[in-house]
Amino acid sequence: MISFQIDEKELKELYLQKVDERLEQLEREVFFMNSKQLSAYLNLSWNTIVENFLYDEDFPCLRAGSKWLFNRKEVQDYMDNYYEEVRNNGGDILKYKRKG
């Protein structure tokens, strides 16, 4: 005969952890982000994004009236490249200005 016990508290914690992981996955799969989501995604203030990225012709953004939209995958690709450029040029995002 097989016997087992279930720790309900541990089961609840595991369940909530899996729900959180799934919600994070769904959030990453969102195609477009708004300005607040972009700020959270990049962990930068909106002012820093405007000053350093928004008007760069290579920065992936669309404007719909007064609202900005950002393709999550394209932003990630841009930021990967930007990160390498900044790192190779002293590592200070506030001092680095892109050429072009």
Side-chain angles (χ1 to χ4, degrees):
M1 181 163 112
I2 298 175
S3 172
F4 62 92
Q5 292 182 348
I6 296 176
D7 181 338
E8 289 186 29
K9 184 178 178 184
E10 189 174 326
L11 180 62
K12 182 179 178 180
E13 288 175 14
L14 181 60
Y15 174 79
L16 291 174
Q17 177 187 356
K18 292 298 179 183
V19 168
D20 285 342
E21 288 172 6
R22 180 64 179 139
L23 288 173
E24 286 176 15
Q25 179 186 8
L26 288 172
E27 187 175 291
R28 285 191 303 271
E29 293 173 359
V30 171
F31 190 73
F32 282 119
M33 297 179 286
N34 62 31
S35 57
K36 282 186 178 182
Q37 292 166 321
L38 180 68
S39 291
Y41 181 68
L42 297 178
N43 197 28
L44 297 170
S45 72
W46 179 244
N47 287 340
T48 299
I49 292 169
V50 170
E51 291 170 8
N52 292 282
F53 305 111
L54 191 62
Y55 296 105
D56 177 345
E57 64 185 36
D58 295 327
F59 190 70
C61 59
L62 298 173
R63 190 164 184 166
S66 63
K67 185 173 185 170
W68 289 95
L69 299 173
F70 308 91
N71 178 294
R72 184 177 297 274
K73 182 178 179 339
E74 289 180 7
V75 168
Q76 181 63 53
D77 292 343
Y78 176 94
M79 293 308 293
D80 287 342
N81 291 330
Y82 186 82
Y83 173 81
E84 289 298 321
E85 287 179 27
V86 171
R87 205 173 91 183
N88 293 335
N89 288 283
D92 189 339
I93 188 174
L94 299 178
K95 292 181 180 176
Y96 177 73
K97 296 293 179 192
R98 278 191 101 169
K99 297 173 183 115

